[in-house]
Every structure is written in C-alpha cells, then in structure tokens.
C-alpha cells in the first residue's frame, strides 16, 4: 500500500471521515479526563465492566425497539425515532425507554450505584462484584445479539468498536457530552480531587464529599455510556484507563496529569483512526493499540530513567 | 470524671456526648476545649480514641449528646493509601489544604494564596523538598507535609490522629515545636491521639485519658497526679519515656 498516497486521499476525503475521526478525539479527551479519577480510585476494572454494561443497555434498547416496531439500524437514531412516530408512540417516555443511550446510561448508573452503596456499607473490596457486572454485561450483549439478527454486525461493533462512520446525531451527542464533561471537571476539579484523595479531611473542611462523588460517578457513567454507543466497548475501556496510566508517569501534579491524559486520549483516537484507514484495520482496536503504545513508551522511558538514576 | 472550667470562648464543647459503634464505648463525656490548648487523648488500643474523634467531627454517627465545634477545623490522620499513586509535588500537596466548601469554587485560589503555602512549608521545615514528588518523601516527611497542608488554611482547631506514627523521637519533637508555635501565634488548639505520650508530654497542656472504662480529664499536671491515669501513662506502653 502506498501510505503517502492513502494519507493524501484521507485528507482529500476529510469531509467524509471528519465526524467519525473527531467523535473519537472528543471521546478520547473526555475519557482521558474521567480516566484520571478511575485510576486514582482504582476502578480500572469497573470501567471495563461499565463499558460492557453500557453495551448491554444499548443492545437491550435496540432489542426492545425491534420487539415493538420491527428491525431498525442501530446507528440510525433518526430512523428509529421515525419508526416510533409511525407506530404512533411519540410520548416522552417512549423516547426515553427505547433510546439505547438512555438505557446504557441507566444500566451504568445502576451498576455504579450498587457498587458505591456496597462499598460504603461494607467498606469491602467490590472487585468480585465488578467481575460479575462485566460477565453480566458481556453475556447479555451477546445473548441479545442473537435476537437482533439483522443488527449482529452492530453488536460486534458495539463490543470491539469499529466507528468508521458516525451519524450527525451521534456526533452532536458526543460533542455535547464531551464538552459538558470536560467543563464539569474543570469547575469541580478541586472538589473531585479532595473528595477522592482524602475524603475525611475534605468532609471536615466542609466539602460535601458524597455529593462530589455522586457527580463524579455520574460523569463517569454517562461518558462511558455515550462513548460506548458511538465507539464500542474496547476503545472506551482503553481510553478510560491507558491515557491516565501513561499520564501518571509524565506528570508532576494532578492538573498536568489531567491535561496529558486528555491529550493522549485525543491523539490516540485520531492516530488510531488514521492507522485503521491506512491499513484497513478495525477502528476501535487500532485506537486501543495506539493507546497501548503510549503506555509502553512511557513505561520504557520511566524504567530507563530509573536505571540511569541507579547508576548515578 | 471531671469537666475543665473554661471561659465562654470555647472551640469545642461536648455535653453528655456518647460515642461507639452499636453501644457506647465509654460513659457520656463532658468536655470543653478552649483557646491555645494542646490536648492528648490517651488510651489502650480499641478504647475508642479514634471513634471519639470521628464522632465529634461527624465522620461517623454519634450515639447521643451534643458536640459543638466553634472554630474552623482540620483533621489529620495517617496518610491515605490513595495518596501514594498521585503525581503531586510537596507544594501541590500542601496547597490542597487551602480548599474548603467555599474556596474550591474560586478559580486561581491557590495562586492567590501561594504565600500561605510557602509559609506553611517553611514552618514545617520542608522548603528543601517543596518541589520534590510527595511520593518520594520518607514517611516522617510525608506526615510533616500533612501538617503543613492542614495549617495552610489557618484552622483554629486541629485534630491529629496518630499523625506522628512514622516519626522518630527527634522528628516528633521538631513536629510539636512547630505545632506549638502555630497554636500560640494563631490562638488555636489541638487534640492529639498518640501512643507516644512521653515524647510529647512536655508540649501538652491537657489530657483526656481512657482507663478502666472511664475518663481522667484535665490539665496535664493534674492528670499526671491521678493514680490510675498515671499508671497507664507510665506503664511504658505510651512512649519512649
């Protein structure tokens, strides 16, 4: 393959790829930011479980929609909504219940609420329950996938991520949610930081730790649910963990870690998309792999630094 | 049990205060902490020292009675495990102490008050390491940084729970000299839970001793005169003395 020519073609057709490439970048930046707290709170596997639970929520939404109105493409929300209108169901609750993103967000929030409640009540490690959520999410997605025969490719896309193209509605949703999430994290940064790192001291200082943690977990659940719907579970898990891991080694404080993590997430999403285009790889795994290369490079550099310091 | 007599200008006043998990760990406590006092809470493991502190601060539910806090308060416990994975210079760690329910919403608050961060760092003799990563400090230094973090907001009442557990006696002495000078300058008070009673007894003004299911409470020389409290304090289990 002539990569230079392909890259030139990519830029020539930028209008065509723009929404999918930029949706990945927005998701990478947003999940890079929330990923910092996922790493701090040691909820890495919760992020994996949530992306699977979100997939299950999306599959559930599609399945419910098919049950009541017949098959409709997963990525065509306008079509789905029109189908609902045709069927005479135009109420708020109809839109609410049969919206895959809403279903994904509700299931994610429920999962987070149960884990948060269990952790607060028992104070125990909830990793076994997180594993249960992961298995429940993944198996439910695959089981529902067999009932959404015409959408089986969409279900696979949901799990692996192959967002070659993104609908204008999904792009707008991604843009709004990512901008809102980043702004929220800028405004709440000190509250999130204090309540995550030293909850007792924060409480004594008058900070409403439970409210802060609720908002933080809400932002994690919504960002993972929306990004999973648009990009798929694998890149979402990668963006919510790997950029923060790499940024952790590059940063001198939390603010710089947030910036580095967002940059790594955004750059990885874009580079992954271009690599997938150039070599005809699936988009999601390519984006995840570029993230992984960041982490490997940063850790190799870190170990070389340690060896050099030991020699000195 | 006795109650120390104070003026109206109290920083902490507990009345018939009962604490514990399901049932009370001790009889109800009457306690007043005034200005410029350094209290030690002494007792055997599991006697309820930390439970008392957390119940007063609202970090766990009280069982009965009333505790009024009449001052800006800070709580210093052992370094949380989650702090260890966080990239932060000592100056960043200390500046986090500036944030409370109001200041956390003010953009650039830490920059506006960086002089307070600097003076807190100097007060705890951490200037040489202020740009180093917090994670790279020794445990004793981390505990000093934690005190600097608490002092940066200029609280009037400090609660220290095993805050010097990783320090040797010399470091502990330096720590309490810094603390004492802060309390005198700011007319503040401090309540300390510590097992190193003999190392810090010369800095204390008052003590609350849990012994034999009851309290001995009062000024330090009165407590030292008390036979049951004295036996506990001099048993060798509470310090290097």
């Amino acid at each position: 393959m002539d990569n230079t020519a392909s890259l030139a073609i990519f830029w020539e057709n930028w209008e065509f790829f723009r929404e999918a490439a930029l949706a990945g970048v927005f998701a990478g930046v947003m999940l890079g930011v929330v990923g910092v707290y996922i790493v701090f709170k040691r909820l890495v596997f919760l992020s994996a479980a949530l992306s699977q639970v979100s997939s299950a929520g999306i599959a559930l939404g599609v399945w419910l929609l098919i049950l009541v109105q017949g098959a409709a493409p997963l990525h065509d929300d306008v079509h789905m909504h029109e189908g609902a209108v045709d069927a005479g169901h135009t109420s708020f609750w109809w839109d609410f219940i049969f919206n895959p993103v809403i279903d994904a967000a509700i299931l994610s929030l429920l999962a987070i609420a149960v884990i948060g409640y269990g952790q607060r009540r028992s104070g125990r490690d909830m990793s076994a329950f997180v594993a249960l959520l992961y298995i429940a999410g993944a198996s439910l997605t695959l089981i529902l996938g067999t009932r959404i025969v015409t959408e089986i490719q969409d279900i696979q896309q949901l799990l692996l991520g192959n967002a070659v193209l993104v609908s204008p509605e999904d792009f707008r949703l991604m843009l709004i949610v990512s901008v809102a999430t980043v702004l929220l994290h800028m405004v709440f940064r000190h509250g999130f930081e204090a309540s995550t790192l030293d909850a007792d001291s924060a409480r004594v200082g008058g900070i409403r730790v439970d409210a802060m943690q609720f908002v933080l977990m809400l932002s994690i659940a919504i960002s993972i649910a929306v990004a999973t719907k648009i990009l798929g579970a694998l890149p979402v898990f990668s963006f919510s963990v790997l950029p923060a891991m790499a940024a952790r080694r590059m940063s001198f404080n939390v603010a710089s870690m947030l910036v580095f993590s967002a940059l790594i997430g955004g750059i990885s999403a874009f580079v992954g998309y271009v690599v997938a285009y150039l070599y005809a790889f699936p988009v999601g795994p390519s984006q995840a792999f570029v993230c992984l290369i960041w982490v490997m490079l940063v850790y190799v550099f870190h170990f070389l630094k340690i060896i050099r310091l030991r020699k000195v | 049990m006795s109650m120390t007599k104070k003026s109206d200008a109290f920083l902490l006043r507990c009345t018939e205060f009962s604490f514990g998990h399901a049932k009370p760990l001790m009889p109800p406590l009457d306690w007043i902490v005034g200005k410029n006092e350094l209290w030690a809470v002494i007792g055997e493991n599991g006697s309820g020292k930390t439970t008392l502190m957390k119940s007063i601060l609202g970090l766990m539910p009280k069982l009965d009675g009333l505790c009024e806090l009449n001052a800006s308060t800070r709580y210093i416990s052992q370094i949380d495990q989650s702090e260890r994975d966080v990239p932060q210079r000592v100056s960043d760690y200390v500046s986090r102490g500036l944030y409370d329910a109001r200041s956390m919403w003010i953009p650039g608050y830490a920059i506006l008050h960086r002089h307070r961060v600097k003076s807190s760092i100097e007060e705890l003799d951490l200037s040489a390491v202020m740009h180093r990563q917090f994670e790279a400090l020794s445990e004793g230094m981390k505990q000093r940084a934690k005190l600097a973090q608490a002092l940066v907001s200029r609280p009037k009442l400090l609660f220290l729970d095993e805050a010097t557990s990783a320090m040797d006696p010399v470091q502990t002495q330096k720590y309490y000299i810094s603390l004492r000078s802060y309390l005198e300058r700011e007319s503040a008070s401090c309540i300390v839970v510590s097992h190193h009673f003999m190392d810090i007894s010369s800095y204390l003004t008052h003590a609350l001793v849990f012994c034999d299911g009851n309290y001995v409470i009062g000024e330090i020389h009165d407590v030292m005169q008390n036979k049951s409290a004295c036996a506990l304090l001099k048993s060798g289990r509470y310090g290097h003395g």
Side-chain angles (χ1 to χ4, degrees):
Chain A
M1 178 187 287
D2 183 353
N3 287 348
T4 311
S6 294
L7 204 53
I9 293 168
F10 178 82
W11 289 118
E12 275 172 22
N13 294 288
W14 171 243
E15 289 288 308
F16 186 66
F17 299 118
R18 185 179 62 197
E19 284 170 344
L22 290 183
V25 172
F26 294 144
V29 169
M30 172 181 74
L31 294 170
V33 170
V34 301
V36 167
Y37 296 96
I38 288 172
V39 169
F40 284 166
K41 289 171 76 67
R42 296 174 185 179
L43 293 175
V44 168
F45 288 106
L46 178 65
S47 150
L50 281 185
S51 54
Q52 293 298 334
V53 168
S54 296
S55 302
I58 291 162
L60 185 68
V62 174
W63 181 63
L64 288 174
L65 201 67
I66 289 169
L67 270 188
V68 294
Q69 69 165 60
L74 176 65
H75 46 259
D76 192 349
D77 288 347
V78 175
H79 190 172
M80 286 161 74
H81 184 73
E82 281 169 358
V85 173
D86 292 345
H89 303 288
T90 55
S91 74
F92 169 78
W93 289 109
W94 173 271
D95 288 344
F96 195 81
I97 293 166
F98 297 108
N99 186 323
V101 176
I102 300 279
D103 292 343
I106 289 171
L107 281 191
S108 300
L109 284 173
L110 275 176
I112 276 191
V114 170
I115 286 180
Y117 179 77
Q119 213 163 28
R120 196 171 158 74
R121 290 285 295 176
S122 67
R124 290 191 192 121
D125 179 18
M126 298 293 284
S127 54
F129 191 77
V130 170
L132 185 148
L133 279 179
Y134 180 93
I135 294 163
S139 53
L140 188 63
T141 309
L142 290 168
I143 287 167
L144 288 174
T146 63
R147 292 291 177 270
I148 313 171
V149 180
T150 54
E151 266 64 27
I152 192 67
Q153 280 183 322
D154 290 326
I155 294 299
Q156 282 172 352
Q157 175 181 314
L158 207 56
L159 290 172
L160 295 173
N162 193 17
V164 179
L165 296 173
V166 168
S167 70
E169 293 73 27
D170 281 349
F171 178 72
R172 269 199 298 275
L173 179 67
M174 191 73 254
L175 176 63
I176 291 166
V177 171
S178 56
V179 169
T181 304
V182 171
L183 284 177
L184 178 93
H185 278 256
M186 284 168 75
V187 174
F188 280 71
R189 185 171 85 79
H190 298 300
F192 287 166
E193 199 179 313
S195 61
T196 300
L197 300 180
D198 191 353
D200 282 350
S201 298
R203 270 197 188 92
V204 173
I207 294 172
R208 295 179 64 188
V209 170
D210 292 340
M212 285 292 146
Q213 287 299 299
F214 175 76
V215 175
L216 175 61
M217 296 309 264
L218 192 70
S219 76
I220 291 174
I222 291 174
S223 55
I224 285 180
V226 170
T228 301
K229 198 270 178 184
I230 294 163
L231 300 184
L234 179 65
V236 168
F237 179 40
S238 309
F239 289 149
S240 58
V241 174
L242 300 180
M245 272 178 73
R248 162 74 188 87
R249 293 282 168 217
M250 298 164 67
S251 312
F252 53 87
N253 63 11
V254 177
S256 64
M257 185 175 168
L258 284 162
V259 171
F260 281 134
S261 186
L263 283 174
I264 292 170
I267 292 169
S268 300
F270 188 77
V271 173
Y273 189 88
V274 173
V275 167
Y277 169 79
L278 292 178
Y279 297 99
F281 292 148
V283 174
S286 302
Q287 290 171 323
F289 203 78
V290 173
C291 270
L292 192 66
I293 289 171
W294 269 106
V295 176
M296 280 158 46
L297 285 175
V298 167
Y299 272 76
V300 165
F301 182 76
H302 179 70
F303 285 122
L304 287 175
K305 197 171 135 188
I306 288 173
I307 290 167
R308 192 164 54 88
L309 282 173
R310 278 187 186 158
K311 279 183 182 170
V312 172
Chain B
M1 189 191 323
S2 66
M3 196 173 101
T4 49
K5 290 178 182 174
K6 299 289 161 207
S7 68
D8 289 339
F10 67 91
L11 300 179
L12 168 72
R13 180 166 65 190
C14 293
T15 314
E16 291 287 305
F17 189 73
S18 184
F19 60 95
H21 296 280
K23 57 182 184 179
L25 285 166
M26 285 278 167
L29 171 69
D30 291 312
W31 187 16
I32 294 178
V33 175
K35 288 180 179 172
N36 213 350
E37 294 177 359
L38 181 45
W39 284 76
V41 180
I42 312 286
E44 294 183 328
N45 284 334
S47 58
K49 305 181 295 293
T50 298
T51 308
L52 168 66
M53 216 173 238
K54 288 192 167 184
S55 302
I56 290 171
L57 290 167
L59 297 174
M60 58 183 290
K62 63 176 183 180
L63 295 181
D64 203 6
L66 184 69
C67 253
E68 298 163 82
L69 287 163
N70 193 24
S72 56
T73 306
R74 282 289 181 273
Y75 173 62
I76 306 173
S77 57
Q78 293 187 18
I79 310 288
D80 199 285
Q81 201 60 33
S82 57
E83 296 275 17
R84 295 174 200 277
D85 297 330
V86 179
Q88 53 189 346
R89 295 166 300 194
V90 173
S91 55
D92 298 314
Y93 179 79
V94 172
S95 68
R96 209 168 70 222
L98 287 168
Y99 293 103
D100 57 23
R102 195 179 59 86
S103 60
M104 71 177 190
W105 303 109
I106 302 171
Y109 190 81
I111 296 168
L112 288 172
H113 294 85
R114 58 179 179 269
H115 59 281
R116 276 162 61 179
V117 175
K118 196 165 173 263
S119 70
S120 250
I121 285 172
E122 282 167 0
E123 200 163 359
L124 271 295
D125 200 18
L126 291 165
S127 302
V129 294
M130 69 183 284
H131 299 299
R132 275 175 62 184
Q133 282 291 301
F134 178 77
E135 195 187 39
L137 298 185
S138 68
E139 290 303 307
M141 274 185 156
K142 280 179 186 168
Q143 291 190 321
R144 270 159 56 197
K146 185 128 188 171
L147 179 62
Q149 187 194 59
L151 298 189
V152 78
S153 62
R154 299 287 176 250
K156 292 293 181 193
L157 184 57
L158 277 159
F159 289 79
L160 272 60
D161 189 355
E162 303 288 354
T164 56
S165 56
M167 292 184 193
D168 60 35
V170 176
Q171 277 188 316
T172 307
Q173 299 287 336
K174 281 186 183 173
Y175 185 97
Y176 277 93
I177 289 168
S178 304
L179 180 62
R180 207 52 247 203
S181 106
Y182 171 82
L183 299 180
E184 278 164 17
R185 197 177 62 245
E186 299 286 332
S187 295
S189 289
C190 180
I191 300 166
V192 180
V193 166
S194 175
H195 284 295
H196 298 138
F197 176 76
M198 298 310 284
D199 291 340
I200 63 169
S201 58
S202 56
Y203 302 101
L204 299 174
T205 60
H206 297 74
L208 166 62
V209 183
F210 293 14
C211 52
D212 301 329
N214 213 329
Y215 311 104
V216 177
I217 186 168
E219 292 189 13
I220 188 69
H221 52 82
D222 293 338
V223 171
M224 293 293 276
Q225 300 297 318
N226 184 295
K227 278 186 181 174
S228 57
C230 200
L232 182 71
L233 298 177
K234 291 185 174 170
S235 63
R237 282 174 289 174
Y238 294 97
H240 302 267

